[in-house]
Amino acid sequence: MKELLVNLGENSYNIEIEKGLIKDVPKRIRKVFNGEKIFIITDKNVDKYYGDIVLNSLKEDGFIVEKYAINPGEESKSFNTLPEVYEKLLDFKLTRKDLIITLGGGVVGDLGGFVASTFLRGVSFIQIPTSLLSQVDSSVGGKVGVDLPRGKNLVGSFYQPKRVLIDPNVLNTLDEKFYKDGMGEVIKYGCIRDKDLFNLLNSLNTREEVMEHIEDIIYTCCNIKRIIVERDEKDLGERMILNFGHTLGHAIEKYYGFSEFTHGEGVAIGMYLITKLSENKGLVKKEFSEDIKNILVRYGLPFEVELADKDAIIETISLDKKNMGSRLKVIIMKEIGNAEIYDTTVDFFR
């Protein structure tokens, strides 16, 4: 087993990474929870594979457990889903002494974490991420929230889990589209902070080869995020580095109604386009966008997209959380493994 401590004082927690962990959840939960009642939030796709495995193991260990599966997809990460989840929690008579488990990908983790942070003004929760994207990124760091029609993650909070339990074996049931989706975030970590990871990814040729290294890859990404989050928990400085490719990526996702591109695909396009823009403005060396393009193609990820309404993209960017007053913090890659925050305005994208 690989283990990391995210050291945030009283909000500290451990990340456990181990193949087969999904079948051993109760013992790991008892390390941080001594109550009786647990509510599992999942989605209908994940539920088919792992919902009953987790539910039944918890019941067999003596917990009182209820499970609720939302519809899969980004469309569920909205205010429209919240009332139905809150109603289920009320029916279950969940109290502040009880526990919520988010069992799923980024949507389930973000939505379920937001539910945990707001129901009864805060209920403890544990993340069990089941997608590559959530295992390497979204389950760590305490960012929870929902989307608005005008943009992603515009309503949310910082609410740290009590533990993150990662089983790389669950990725074997992951659809190819969502495997590629997660690789978008993995590549991001190589770009921003780890040239060795970037080079490793460039040396692997198949999903099977990636899976041979998957525990180390997940550990590396989580450790990079751990270091950054410990220094900047509330995303006011260095943590913005983690959003390389996201400013444009989120805008593209929204432009296409959150249905054309997954989050990782949006980030992939955003990483390439922001680097191309940075090159054109003389901020970075010319070859970097080609390096990013090549690795995206290697993993079957898009790097360009037709944008008929550029003004709509710029309007979405203007609402981005990295806006500070009239200034916009853009993340640029000065070299592979070294990203920086660049202070500019939305005119950067015109």
Side-chain angles (χ1 to χ4, degrees):
M1 181 181 77
K2 293 180 179 292
E3 191 164 3
L4 285 165
L5 170 67
V6 182
N7 190 351
L8 296 170
E10 64 180 15
N11 294 322
S12 299
Y13 56 94
N14 286 73
I15 304 165
E16 296 182 26
I17 306 165
E18 185 176 11
K19 291 181 177 179
L21 174 154
I22 197 78
K23 298 177 181 178
D24 189 31
V25 168
K27 181 180 75 175
R28 297 163 193 272
I29 283 179
R30 287 198 182 276
K31 294 176 183 177
V32 292
F33 175 63
N34 58 10
E36 295 181 341
K37 298 182 77 172
I38 299 174
F39 191 90
I40 301 168
I41 300 173
T42 186
D43 73 36
K44 291 174 183 177
N45 285 344
V46 173
D47 191 35
K48 288 185 292 187
Y49 293 105
Y50 306 110
D52 286 343
I53 291 174
V54 176
L55 177 78
N56 292 334
S57 68
L58 290 169
K59 284 184 174 180
E60 288 167 8
D61 206 65
F63 291 108
I64 301 166
V65 192
E66 186 63 76
K67 170 169 63 76
Y68 183 64
I70 64 173
N71 290 324
E74 190 74 28
E75 295 88 346
S76 288
K77 205 175 98 176
S78 75
F79 274 103
N80 297 331
T81 309
L82 294 175
E84 63 192 60
V85 180
Y86 291 139
E87 286 294 326
K88 295 294 180 181
L89 295 174
L90 289 169
D91 292 343
F92 188 51
K93 295 181 171 56
L94 195 84
T95 74
R96 293 177 72 180
K97 292 183 178 179
D98 300 322
L99 180 73
I100 289 173
I101 290 176
T102 58
L103 174 68
V107 168
V108 168
D110 286 0
L111 175 84
F114 184 72
V115 167
S117 74
T118 51
F119 187 71
L120 304 179
R121 295 195 176 95
V123 176
S124 295
F125 85 114
I126 285 175
Q127 293 260 29
I128 306 180
T130 59
S131 69
L132 180 56
L133 186 146
S134 59
Q135 289 188 354
V136 301
D137 187 72
S138 62
S139 66
V140 178
K143 279 187 179 182
V144 298
V146 294
D147 303 334
L148 293 180
R150 293 175 67 181
K152 285 194 62 168
N153 302 321
L154 291 177
V155 176
S157 57
F158 292 92
Y159 194 69
Q160 303 294 342
K162 294 299 180 184
R163 213 167 193 85
V164 180
L165 304 176
I166 298 175
D167 182 352
N169 279 351
V170 304
L171 301 179
N172 292 325
T173 56
L174 199 62
D175 183 85
E176 185 70 12
K177 180 178 178 69
F178 293 102
Y179 161 71
K180 293 176 181 177
D181 173 56
M183 288 308 300
E185 286 283 1
V186 173
I187 291 166
K188 176 202 77 177
Y189 278 102
C191 289
I192 65 169
R193 281 295 182 264
D194 197 318
K195 188 174 182 179
D196 288 341
L197 174 61
F198 190 91
N199 290 338
L200 171 65
L201 297 175
N202 254 332
S203 73
L204 304 175
N205 297 304
T206 65
R207 178 171 175 172
E208 289 70 29
E209 288 185 13
V210 171
M211 289 302 293
E212 289 174 10
H213 296 268
I214 196 64
E215 283 180 291
D216 288 333
I217 288 171
I218 293 169
Y219 179 90
T220 297
C221 294
C222 289
N223 193 40
I224 292 169
K225 189 164 189 178
R226 172 195 68 82
I227 292 167
I228 293 173
V229 167
E230 286 178 353
R231 292 198 288 239
D232 178 24
E233 182 182 358
K234 297 298 177 70
D235 204 14
L236 295 172
E238 184 184 4
R239 186 167 176 171
M240 292 184 187
I241 295 291
L242 296 168
N243 288 314
F244 178 55
H246 285 59
T247 299
L248 271 169
H250 283 169
I252 290 164
E253 285 181 80
K254 190 260 179 183
Y255 181 82
Y256 283 94
F258 301 115
S259 58
E260 182 72 18
F261 296 103
T262 65
H263 175 69
E265 289 171 336
V267 168
I269 296 166
M271 288 190 294
Y272 174 74
L273 293 182
I274 197 69
T275 304
K276 196 74 176 170
L277 268 171
S278 302
E279 287 177 353
N280 293 340
K281 295 176 183 293
L283 298 173
V284 301
K285 293 179 181 178
K286 283 289 184 185
E287 68 266 21
F288 290 155
S289 65
E290 194 67 18
D291 291 335
I292 291 177
K293 174 183 172 181
N294 289 339
I295 198 168
L296 295 178
V297 170
R298 186 181 198 88
Y299 285 92
L301 286 161
F303 60 92
E304 284 187 307
V305 67
E306 288 293 326
L307 300 174
D309 189 353
K310 192 174 180 181
D311 287 340
I313 294 291
I314 291 173
E315 169 62 18
T316 301
I317 289 170
S318 73
L319 299 173
D320 191 279
K321 300 180 298 303
K322 291 177 290 302
N323 266 317
M324 301 289 179
S326 62
R327 309 299 294 175
L328 175 65
K329 307 292 186 180
V330 172
I331 314 308
I332 61 175
M333 191 178 73
K334 296 297 288 185
E335 58 186 5
I336 294 171
N338 180 24
E340 294 182 0
I341 300 169
Y342 180 70
D343 191 28
T344 184
T345 69
V346 292
D347 289 335
F348 182 90
F349 295 96
R350 295 191 187 278

